């Protein structure tokens, strides 16, 4: 376990608190302390804490694929989480057509963001169509119909509107 004093807030390459690993006499690859800190950062991620990074004073550790990959993974998770939080907040404010950013996303990250964006577009079209029909009905025009393609519960709503 790393003493509290060893956990220092820094503006290292990711701008998050880092574990500072003391220099070791080991000559190649990650040292035992670094590997232990890797495990602690991973445990923090499992618990939802995306604010820790690994920063080893040994050059071999800081350049190792293990520490680099873990720091990049935690940074990506943190950025992804922040984007989803912002996305949800804008949607909760009633903003239609909100789109999450797809900057440099690949694989599953890209798939999740793409599906969120597709869902948002679909719901925005449905809400706009409902609003258009409601506005027409409020003005006395009962000839307006919902035209957006929908499924499930929204189809029931569409059919109800269109029979008015």
């Amino acid at each position: 376990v790393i003493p509290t004093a060893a956990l220092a807030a820094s503006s290292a390459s990711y701008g998050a608190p880092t574990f500072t690993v003391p220099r070791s006499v080991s000559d190649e690859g990650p040292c035992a302390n670094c590997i232990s800190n890797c495990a602690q950062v991973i445990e923090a991620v499992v618990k939802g804490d995306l604010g820790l990074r690994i920063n080893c004073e040994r050059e071999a550790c800081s350049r190792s694929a293990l520490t680099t990959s873990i720091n990049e993974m935690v940074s990506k998770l943190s950025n992804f989480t922040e984007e989803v939080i912002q996305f949800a907040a804008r949607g909760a404010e009633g903003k239609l057509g909100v789109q999450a950013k797809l900057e440099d996303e690949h694989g599953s990250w890209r798939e999740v963001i793409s599906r969120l964006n597709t869902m948002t577009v679909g719901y925005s079209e449905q809400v706009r169509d409902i609003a258009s029909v409601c506005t027409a009905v409020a003005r006395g025009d009962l000839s307006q119909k919902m035209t957006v393609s929908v499924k499930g519960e929204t189809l029931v709503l569409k059919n109800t509107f269109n029979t008015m």
Side-chain angles (χ1 to χ4, degrees):
V1 178
I2 296 179
T4 309
L7 180 60
S10 75
S11 56
S13 59
Y14 298 105
T18 59
F19 285 120
T20 301
V21 180
R23 293 192 183 271
S24 172
V25 292
S26 200
D27 32 344
E28 291 300 320
C31 63
N33 287 335
C34 188
I35 291 171
S36 173
N37 289 327
C38 289
Q40 289 179 351
V41 169
I42 292 169
E43 287 172 9
V45 169
V46 168
K47 293 175 182 173
D49 180 356
L50 302 175
L52 299 178
R53 302 295 186 277
I54 303 156
N55 181 22
C56 186
E57 294 174 2
R58 277 191 64 235
E59 190 174 333
C61 286
S62 26
R63 287 184 324 199
S64 82
L66 179 64
T67 57
T68 300
S69 295
I70 289 172
N71 281 340
E72 287 177 6
M73 175 192 69
V74 176
S75 182
K76 184 164 280 288
L77 278 169
S78 181
N79 292 339
F80 181 80
T81 300
E82 183 61 31
E83 183 60 28
V84 170
I85 288 168
Q86 291 300 315
F87 175 86
R90 291 188 305 262
E93 293 168 356
K95 295 180 182 175
L96 296 176
V98 173
Q99 296 285 292
K101 297 175 193 152
L102 279 170
E103 297 172 12
D104 300 324
E105 301 300 339
H106 303 284
S108 295
W109 304 112
R110 185 170 196 79
E111 182 69 20
V112 169
I113 294 293
S114 178
R115 287 181 184 252
L116 281 172
N117 287 341
T118 299
M119 181 183 69
T120 299
V121 167
Y123 284 139
S124 295
E125 289 172 355
Q126 293 168 23
V127 169
R128 287 179 179 129
D129 201 27
I130 291 168
S132 175
V133 173
C134 286
T135 301
V137 169
R139 292 183 179 151
D141 180 1
L142 301 179
S143 67
Q144 297 295 311
K145 303 289 181 203
M146 285 184 65
T147 58
V148 70
S149 177
V150 294
K151 299 177 187 174
E153 293 177 44
T154 310
L155 180 58
V156 172
L157 180 62
K158 175 182 177 179
N159 290 339
T160 302
F161 267 99
N162 286 344
T163 57
M164 292 195 303

